[in-house]
Structure formats: structure tokens, C-alpha cells
């Protein structure tokens, strides 16, 4: 049944093009301000690493934004619609632990290869050409799969809400992203990540308070609870305890949980976008940034899906629901339309506009991260490594720009093909682990174990992929004697393929280690990775390369201090992330799953209340904290703008005065903290 869109096409074009243009112009202005008043010239290093000086608040918001795909909001709500309260938790916990565990890998990357631009440079430095090419393929496939999910899911939602043609949405969604990414690079991406996250969290808070407090049709957890009990009576959930939507004991939900964990290991540990954030972070801010980001992100899919997925179940028997009197078709659930339909039922056209905004934010912010990730891989790992090792900074930034535009066109065109083939965002989401997860363990061991040899690193992902594809397709053939989209996308074949992909290297790496011997790597070649030469760009701009953030190497004392801090952070991260992982995967959900407890009304009310409190804490952590953390820079920037516009002082004078202050504060005396650190280094 064709549904009438809640909004006019003009609204869709207005948001997609208008907001895209607004962000592009805003980032052009911000880039100009940073260059004029903060001496942040857009060099090749700044474009791809943001000067390696980003603080924990912005790192956290960038992690949240990059991990908040269209699927985060749409797929999680669909899983909730299918399996009830267990779905949002399985989605959130199964995708948070990867960010928390990645914090340890981020610290190791900063410590082992302080000048790296991509994690693939580390592969090349350690193993040579063959493993480098293997991981480059897996890394790019990861970026392509993530980008396709973003564009396919986002365009389907825009089409459902506005009637805007899907192909038009596919090609227009990336336009504004490409514009501001070209101008501002990774720094612009991180700044827009914060803006997107800020707006996204406000809208999620609006949705949750509407559903559980102010709505005329719902308005309280008690009302939602009663409607969910009625929904389970009309259409009980197969595999759930007593068919209830209000239990964590869900067979299909648990299968999705495993698929979700496996697939998301690949999309974090192999997506260069997350390594970009680690590289961009100031050394002392990498660990708190990733832990802050992971914990704040958890509330987004958990509360969004608990609100919108359950609202859809509660309201689909209400005339305000778009599909009334029918239930949602399975294809629409897989396409991610649960959230927009629930938003329309709750808030009418206002809900449709709010949904369009958050999907636009999710798609564009994560897409910008993917653009930079692919750009840095193609520029440094492909172009500089194999075609022009002596490339200047000017040439590298030119190549980065070319790759950004070319990749956006490629992804849009590929998405059109998937749309015609009937491949949805939901299918891509559960399939990605089958394709990429066999490279997770070898990639991780590269940074944490000196014994992995190049054949174990290079061959395990390839053979693991073959094993995963066989497990996936054979299971599908045995399950329903068919290899179509419907069968291959069902839970059991995807479970077999995902688990085979992630776990096959557990067997393959030891085999290749026994055959070819244990490596005795000394970590020195990673330290030899060099930065881009940006002297030409700095000279052309009339700026001293020494004052550009991250453009020059540290002296030996500063480097030793940084290494000490990173070693300490590494020890903290291992303990912290393992404890948090156990809480989210075992201690919290498993007693509820094993007991088969069906939520009582007070328990459900408490469950919702915790989610709402958590989302407010997330808003403080990645919405307000970055502003507080960067208050000195903000004050300096606004003061400089005022002095410049009023004619009281020229930026060159401001820079000269700032340099004098910095020189006086640095002086010739080593601060007490640095003395202690140096003594610790010499003692050890």
C-alpha cells in the first residue's frame, strides 16, 4: 500500500540542500577564522590529522557522531519493533564495547606510530607490501559498506517522509558534506561532528519526553506498557518468553546480538575513520575521549529505539499511525522506516521534520568521516607509498581533494545500483561482518603482539573471508534452499557467516605462526613513519611552519614525556575497558535473559528513566563539555575577531603578542610535572 508522505518534496530538498549548503558555508567561515586568528593553515597534515591536538571532549563527540549512522537510529528502532525491549539493549551494548576496547588500540597506535596518518601505514611499516595491500582492500571495503549503509538508509527515509525521489536523495545527500570536507578536512569534520551531535541529542530528548511524558496518545511509561501488553496479545513474538515485548529473553534478539557484536568489531577496528580520530587526538586526550564517546553513545540507540520502536508497536493500532490499520511490512522495517512512522504518529509533521533532521545529521556527519578515511588511505597508502614517495604537502592535499570528490560520486552511483537491486540498509548491516571481520584479529595483533609474522597477518583475512562466505551461503542453502536476498539476509545464515569470519583467524593465526615461526618485531619501523612536508604550503601562505599546530616534530624531552603518559594510559585502558565490557555484555543483560523475567510496570518505568537520565548525561558529556574544555580557545578567537573587526589590532599583532606570552610561560625552567616525568623515565 502506497503511503502519503508526511511532508512535501520541497521540505526534503530544502533540508538536504539548504542545510548542506549552510554547513558548507559555516565550515568555510570557521576554516578562515582558524587560519586568520589561530594560525591553523590547511596543510596536508592539518587536512588529514587536525594537527594531532584535538581534546577529549571533541574526540568524544567525534566518536559519537561517527558511530551514529543512519542505522544507529533506524536499524535499532526496527530491531525493537521486531523483538521488543531486548532489541535496543542488544544493539547498544553490542556496538558500544568495540569503541571501549578500541580505546586500548588507539593508545597503542599513538605510542607505536606517533606520526602515522592511517593504520595501514603501520601495516606497511611492519610487514611490507603484501599484507599492506590485503588490509588496504579490507579497509576500503569497510569504508564502502559503511558509506553505502549511510546513503541507502538516509535516502530511504527522506523518500518515505517527503516523497523526494530516492535517486535524487542519494546524489544530493553527500553534496554539502563534500563541500565542507574539501575546505576544512578532518578538523572541519570534527567540528561539524560536535554540531551534529548537539542537535541530534536535543531531538532524541524531545522524542523521549514526548512519548513518555507529554503525548496525548501515550504520555507515560505506564500507558506504553499497557499498549505493549495488548500488542503482544494480538501478535506474540516468536522466540520471546511468553511472546512478550517486555522481556530480555528473546531467541532472535540474542542471535542479532551476536551478529551485531561481530559485524561491529569489523566496522570499528578496520574503519580508518576511528584511527583518524585517535591520530587527531592529543596524546593525553585519546583515552578519555574514546571512553567518554563510547559511554555517551550507548544511550543514543538504547533510548532512541526504546522510545521510537516501542512507540511504533504501541501506536500501530491507532489511526494516527501511517500504516493503520495494517502492521508495518517487513520490507519497510528492514528499510528503517519504524522510526519515521513512529515520529509522525507521535508529533505529526513536526515529528517528520525532526526525523529528517536527525537522519540528515547522522548521514552527513558519518559520511564526512568516511570521506576523510578513504581520502587518507588513498593519499598516503596508495599514492604516496606506491606512486609518488617524494610528494610534497601541496600535492598530497590536491590528491586528498580529488579522492573526496571521486569517492562521493562512486558511493552515490553504487547506492543507486543497490536501490534497483532491492538491497536495504538492514541487509547491509547484518552482512558487513561476513565480509570484513576476518581481518579484525590480525589487525589488532599488529599493534599489541610482536610475534605475529607477515604471512599470518596477510593470509588469515583472505582465508577467513572464504570460510565466512562458505558458512553463510551453505547455511542459507540448507535453511531454505534458496540464495535470494530474503534467505541470505535471515538470522541463521548471517549468524554462521559472521561468527566464522571473526573466529577463523583464532585458528589460522596460530597455524601460520607454527609454519613460518614467531616474529621478533622491535617496533622501530613504525616510529620511522614520517609526516608530510608542508613547508611549500606554509611559505606560500607566509606562515612560519613552526607555529602551525602539529606541523613539526617534538623535541626528545617532550617525546619521552608523551610516551610515559601513553604507557600509563595504556595500562588504565586495558583494565577500564575490560570491566566496562563485562558490565555491558554479561553482568547487566545476562541475569535478565537467563531468568526470562518479563518486565513489571515499575521495572519498565525505571528502565525508561535510566535511559532518559543517561541521554541527559550524554548531552553534558559530548554536547556541553567540549565547549567548556575549549573555553580558552573560544575566548581568544572571539576576542581576536572583535579586535580585528574594530580595527584595534591586526591578527599579526595578536599572534606576536601571543608568542611573547607563550615564550614567557614556557621559559627556561621545566615545570614540576615535567621534572617528575623525566625523573620517572630515567629511573625506569
Amino acid at each position: 500500500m502506497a503511503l502519503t508522505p508526511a511532508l512535501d518534496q520541497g521540505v526534503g530538498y530544502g533540508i538536504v540542500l539548504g542545510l548542506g549548503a549552510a554547513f558548507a558555508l559555516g565550515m568555510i567561515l570557521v576554516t578562515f577564522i582558524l587560519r586568520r586568528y589561530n594560525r591553523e593553515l590547511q596543510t596536508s597534515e592539518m587536512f588529514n590529522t587536525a594537527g594531532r591536538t584535538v581534546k577529549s571532549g571533541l574526540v568524544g563527540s567525534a566518536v559519537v557522531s561517527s558511530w551514529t549512522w543512519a542505522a544507529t537510529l533506524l536499524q535499532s528502532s526496527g530491531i525493537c519493533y521486531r523483538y521488543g525491549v531486548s532489541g535496543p539493549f542488544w544493539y547498544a551494548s553490542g556496538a558500544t564495547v568495540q569503541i571501549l576496547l578500541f580505546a586500548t588500540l588507539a593508545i597503542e597506535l599513538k605510542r607505536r606510530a606517533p606520526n602515522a596518518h592511517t593504520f595501514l601505514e603501520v601495516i606497511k611499516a611492519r610487514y611490507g607490501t603484501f599484507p599492506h595491500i590485503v588490509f588496504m582492500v579490507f579497509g576500503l571495503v569497510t569504508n564502502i559498506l559503511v558509506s553505502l549503509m549511510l546513503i541507502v538508509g538516509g535516502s530511504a527515509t527522506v523518500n518515505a517522509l517527503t516523497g523526494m525521489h530516492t535517486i535524487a536523495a542519494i546524489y544530493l545527500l553527500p553534496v554539502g558534506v563534500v563541500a565542507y570536507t574539501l575546505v576544512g578536512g578532518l578538523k572541519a569534520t570534527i567540528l561539524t561532528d560536535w554540531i551534529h551531535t548537539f542537535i541530534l541529542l536535543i531531538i532524541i530528548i524531545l522524542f523521549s519526553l514526548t512519548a513518555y511524558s507529554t503525548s496525548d496518545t501515550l504520555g507515560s511509561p505506564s500507558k506504553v506498557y499497557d499498549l505493549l501488553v495488548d500488542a503482544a496479545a494480538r501478535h506474540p513474538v516468536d522466540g520471546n518468553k511468553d511472546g512478550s515485548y517486555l522481556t530480555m529473553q528473546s531467541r532472535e534478539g540474542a542471535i542479532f546480538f551476536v551478529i551485531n557484536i561481530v559485524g561491529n568489531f569489523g566496522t570499528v577496528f578496520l574503519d580508518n575513520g576511528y584511527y583518524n580520530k585517535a591520530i587527531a587526538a592529543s596524546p593525553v586526550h585519546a583515552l578519555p575521549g574514546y571512553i567518554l564517546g563510547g559511554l555517551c553513545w550507548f544511550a543514543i540507540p538504547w533510548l532512541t529505539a526504546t522510545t521510537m520502536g516501542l512507540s511504533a508497536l504501541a501506536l500501530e493500532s491507532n489511526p494516527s499511525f501511517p500504516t493503520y490499520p495494517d502492521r508495518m511490512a517487513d520490507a519497510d522495517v528492514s528499510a528503517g522506516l519504524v522510526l519515521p512512522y513512529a515520529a509522525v504518529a507521535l508529533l505529526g509533521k513536526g515529528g517528520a521534520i525532526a526525523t529528517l533532521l536527525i537522519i540528515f545529521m547522522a548521514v552527513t556527519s558519518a559520511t564526512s568521516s568516511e570521506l576523510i578515511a578513504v581520502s587518507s588511505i588513498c593519499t598516503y597508502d596508495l599514492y604516496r607509498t606506491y606512486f609518488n614517495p617524494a610528494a610534497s604537502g601541496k600535492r598530497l592535499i590536491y590528491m586528498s581533494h580529488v579522492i573526496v570528490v571521486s569517492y562521493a560520486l562512486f558511493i552515490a552511483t553504487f547506492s543507486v545500483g543497490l536501490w534497483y537491486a532491492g538491497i536495504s540498509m538492514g541487509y547491509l548491516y547484518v552482512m558487513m561482518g561476513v565480509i570484513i571481520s576476518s581481518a579484525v584479529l590480525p589487525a589488532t595483533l599488529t599493534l599489541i603482539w610482536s610475534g605475529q609474522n607477515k604471512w599470518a597477518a596477510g593470509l588469515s583475512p583472505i582465508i577467513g573471508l572464504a570460510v565466512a562466505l562458505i558458512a553463510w551461503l551453505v547455511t542459507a542453502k540448507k535453511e531454505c534452499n534458496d540464495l535470494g536476498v530474503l534467505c541470505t539476509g535471515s538470522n541463521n545464515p548471517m549468524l554462521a557467516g559472521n561468527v566464522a569470519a571473526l573466529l577463523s583467524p583464532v585458528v589460522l593465526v596460530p597455524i601460520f605462526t607454527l609454519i613460518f615461526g614467531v616474529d621478533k618485531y622491535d617496533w622501530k619501523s613504525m616510529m620511522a613513519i614520517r609526516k608530510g612536508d608542508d613547508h611549500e604550503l606554509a611559505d606560500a601562505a607566509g606562515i612560519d611552519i613552526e607555529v602551525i599546530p602539529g606541523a613539526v616534530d617534538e623535541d626528545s624531552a617532550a617525546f619521552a614525556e608523551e610516551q610515559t603518559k601513553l604507557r600509563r594510559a595504556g595500562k588504565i585502558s586495558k583494565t577500564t575497558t575490560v570491566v566496562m565490557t563485562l558490565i555491558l555484555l554479561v553482568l547487566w543483560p545476562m541475569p535478565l535473559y537467563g531468568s526470562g523475567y518479563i518486565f513489571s510496570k515499575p521495572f519498565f518505568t525505571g528502565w525508561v528513566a535510566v535511559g532518559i537520565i543517561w541521554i541527559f548525561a550524554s548531552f553534558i558529556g559530548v554536547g556541553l563539555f567540549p565547549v567548556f574544555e575549549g573555553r580558552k580557545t573560544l575566548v581568544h578567537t572571539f576576542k581576536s575577531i572583535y579586535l580585528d573587526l574594530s580595527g584595534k589590532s591586526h591578527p599579526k599583532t595578536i599572534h606576536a603578542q601571543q608568542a611573547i606570552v607563550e615564550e614567557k610561560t614556557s621559559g627556561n625552567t621545566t615545570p614540576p610535572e615535567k621534572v617528575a616525568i623525566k625523573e620517572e623515565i630515567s629511573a625506569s
Side-chain angles (χ1 to χ4, degrees):
M1 180 180 71
L3 301 175
T4 304
L7 302 170
D8 295 331
Q9 284 193 29
V11 177
Y13 283 102
I15 288 179
V16 171
L17 289 177
L19 270 183
F23 273 110
L25 292 172
M27 280 305 107
I28 290 170
L29 177 62
V30 168
T31 303
F32 170 78
I33 289 170
L34 290 174
R35 174 178 171 175
R36 184 170 178 83
Y37 303 112
N38 291 16
R39 298 176 292 193
E40 292 189 9
L41 178 65
Q42 198 58 257
T43 62
S44 66
E45 285 293 314
M46 182 61 74
F47 186 88
N48 288 290
T49 71
R52 306 171 201 266
T53 57
V54 180
K55 293 184 178 180
S56 53
L58 277 179
V59 172
S61 67
V63 168
V64 168
S65 185
S66 299
W67 204 212
T68 305
W69 307 341
T72 304
L73 308 169
L74 303 176
Q75 176 79 350
S76 62
S77 297
I79 294 300
C80 181
Y81 180 86
R82 285 193 169 114
Y83 311 132
V85 292
S86 69
F89 189 91
W90 293 136
Y91 188 103
S93 63
T96 298
V97 295
Q98 292 85 353
I99 295 294
L100 296 175
L101 293 172
F102 185 80
T104 299
L105 215 56
I107 295 298
E108 293 303 308
L109 178 67
K110 299 288 288 183
R111 189 162 74 90
R112 307 283 193 196
N115 292 331
H117 306 86
T118 70
F119 86 99
L120 294 169
E121 284 185 314
V122 171
I123 301 287
K124 179 71 166 68
R126 176 166 177 175
Y127 301 120
T129 301
F130 170 62
H132 182 236
I133 291 173
V134 170
F135 278 95
M136 196 187 310
V137 171
F138 274 88
L140 288 172
V141 168
T142 301
N143 293 127
I144 289 168
L145 282 170
V146 173
S147 302
L148 290 173
M149 272 189 287
L150 292 167
I151 302 300
V152 169
S155 59
T157 303
V158 172
N159 169 259
L161 289 173
T162 69
M164 180 179 178
H165 198 286
T166 305
I167 293 178
I170 285 171
Y171 277 104
L172 293 177
L173 275 170
V175 170
V177 190
V178 169
Y180 73 69
T181 305
L182 282 176
V183 173
L186 184 58
K187 189 63 172 280
T189 294
I190 289 173
L191 290 173
T192 52
D193 282 348
W194 172 76
I195 297 170
H196 289 162
T197 303
F198 194 92
I199 297 171
L200 173 72
L201 288 168
I202 288 175
I203 294 176
I204 293 172
I205 290 169
L206 169 70
F207 280 157
S208 61
L209 293 181
T210 299
Y212 294 116
S213 180
T214 64
S215 168
D216 293 333
T217 48
L218 297 179
S220 71
S222 175
K223 178 69 171 176
V224 174
Y225 183 93
D226 291 338
L227 290 170
L228 291 174
V229 171
D230 293 343
R234 291 194 305 271
H235 37 78
V237 187
D238 184 37
N240 279 25
K241 173 73 172 178
D242 296 342
S244 175
Y245 287 104
L246 292 158
T247 179
M248 289 290 290
Q249 193 177 92
S250 168
R251 184 185 67 240
E252 297 300 313
I255 291 173
F256 169 79
F257 175 52
V258 176
I259 295 171
N260 192 41
I261 286 180
V262 173
N264 285 318
F265 266 111
T267 49
V268 172
F269 283 63
L270 299 176
D271 185 345
N272 192 52
Y274 294 97
Y275 292 92
N276 281 150
K277 305 296 187 300
I279 290 164
S282 167
V284 295
H285 293 287
L287 174 61
Y290 270 85
I291 291 179
L292 176 69
L295 291 177
C296 289
W297 182 85
F298 178 88
I300 292 175
W302 184 37
L303 185 64
T304 301
T306 298
T307 300
M308 307 310 284
L310 296 183
S311 293
L313 287 166
L315 292 173
E316 64 182 353
S317 60
N318 189 294
S320 64
F321 199 76
T323 64
Y324 178 82
D326 300 318
R327 295 205 72 199
M328 287 186 65
D330 193 64
D332 288 344
V333 177
S334 184
L337 300 184
V338 171
L339 187 152
Y341 285 177
V344 170
L346 271 175
L347 291 162
K349 287 192 174 184
I353 291 173
T355 301
L356 209 53
L357 279 173
I358 62 172
I359 297 305
F360 176 83
M361 298 297 169
V363 170
T364 54
S365 61
T367 299
S368 65
S369 175
E370 297 305 308
L371 288 173
I372 289 291
V374 172
S375 166
S376 55
I377 289 174
C378 292
T379 300
Y380 288 95
D381 290 285
L382 191 59
Y383 178 71
R384 191 173 79 163
T385 301
Y386 296 111
F387 295 97
N388 189 359
S392 65
K394 185 176 181 180
R395 185 66 184 174
L396 291 174
I397 205 166
Y398 168 77
M399 287 303 300
S400 296
H401 288 166
V402 170
I403 297 300
V404 165
V405 175
S406 303
Y407 181 67
L409 283 171
F410 166 74
I411 285 300
T413 306
F414 201 152
S415 298
V416 171
L418 292 179
W419 180 70
Y420 277 115
I423 303 295
S424 68
M425 175 199 67
Y427 186 89
L428 291 171
Y429 186 85
V430 291
M431 189 257 310
M432 63 187 175
V434 178
I435 306 300
I436 62 176
S437 290
S438 59
V440 169
L441 182 62
T444 304
L445 293 177
T446 297
L447 283 169
I448 64 174
W449 183 44
S450 62
Q452 181 172 251
N453 61 59
K454 71 174 184 178
W455 298 109
L459 293 175
S460 295
I462 299 171
I463 298 173
L465 171 61
V467 170
L469 290 173
I470 291 169
W472 174 37
L473 297 176
V474 167
T475 305
K477 189 71 174 176
K478 289 190 72 175
E479 282 269 314
C480 43
N481 199 32
D482 179 41
L483 293 179
V485 171
L486 188 63
C487 182
T488 56
S490 58
N491 274 350
N492 287 338
M494 286 297 186
L495 177 67
N498 274 271
V499 172
L502 186 66
L503 297 185
S504 56
V506 174
V507 176
L508 294 169
V509 169
I511 289 173
F512 289 121
T513 301
L514 286 172
I515 294 172
F516 298 105
V518 176
D519 198 12
K520 295 180 180 178
Y521 183 59
D522 58 10
W523 308 105
K524 290 181 181 178
S525 60
M526 290 185 188
M527 283 285 185
I529 296 171
R530 57 191 172 87
K531 293 182 179 180
D533 183 359
D534 290 314
H535 284 81
E536 183 183 349
L537 286 166
D539 293 342
I543 298 176
D544 184 357
I545 191 79
E546 298 284 336
V547 302
I548 299 173
V552 293
D553 292 324
E554 303 163 303
D555 59 36
S556 56
F559 178 74
E561 175 192 350
E562 181 181 296
Q563 288 292 305
T564 301
K565 289 181 178 179
L566 287 171
R567 276 194 293 272
R568 189 178 302 149
K571 292 176 183 176
I572 294 169
S573 71
K574 290 180 179 70
T575 304
T576 306
T577 55
V578 168
V579 169
M580 289 180 177
T581 298
L582 285 173
I583 291 170
L584 291 175
L585 297 187
V586 181
L587 298 179
W588 185 352
M590 290 308 167
L592 292 170
Y593 181 87
S595 65
Y597 177 63
I598 296 176
F599 290 12
S600 65
K601 189 175 288 188
F603 190 91
F604 177 70
T605 301
W607 186 266
V608 170
V610 170
I612 292 174
I613 292 168
W614 201 319
I615 202 75
F616 274 100
S618 297
F619 181 70
I620 293 169
V622 294
L624 301 181
F625 178 62
V627 177
F628 174 79
E629 195 176 37
R631 62 195 181 281
K632 291 182 180 178
T633 302
L634 288 170
V635 169
H636 163 75
T637 303
F638 283 117
K639 183 180 177 182
S640 300
I641 293 171
Y642 168 73
L643 292 173
D644 189 15
L645 294 178
S646 63
K648 293 181 179 180
S649 184
H650 191 273
K652 288 185 178 179
T653 308
I654 297 170
H655 293 160
Q657 291 171 344
Q658 187 181 10
I660 293 170
V661 172
E662 288 172 355
E663 189 174 342
K664 284 182 178 178
T665 54
S666 62
N668 296 318
T669 307
T670 305
E673 182 188 359
K674 293 191 177 183
V675 171
I677 290 169
K678 287 181 181 180
E679 288 173 355
E680 185 181 321
I681 293 172
S682 60
S684 60

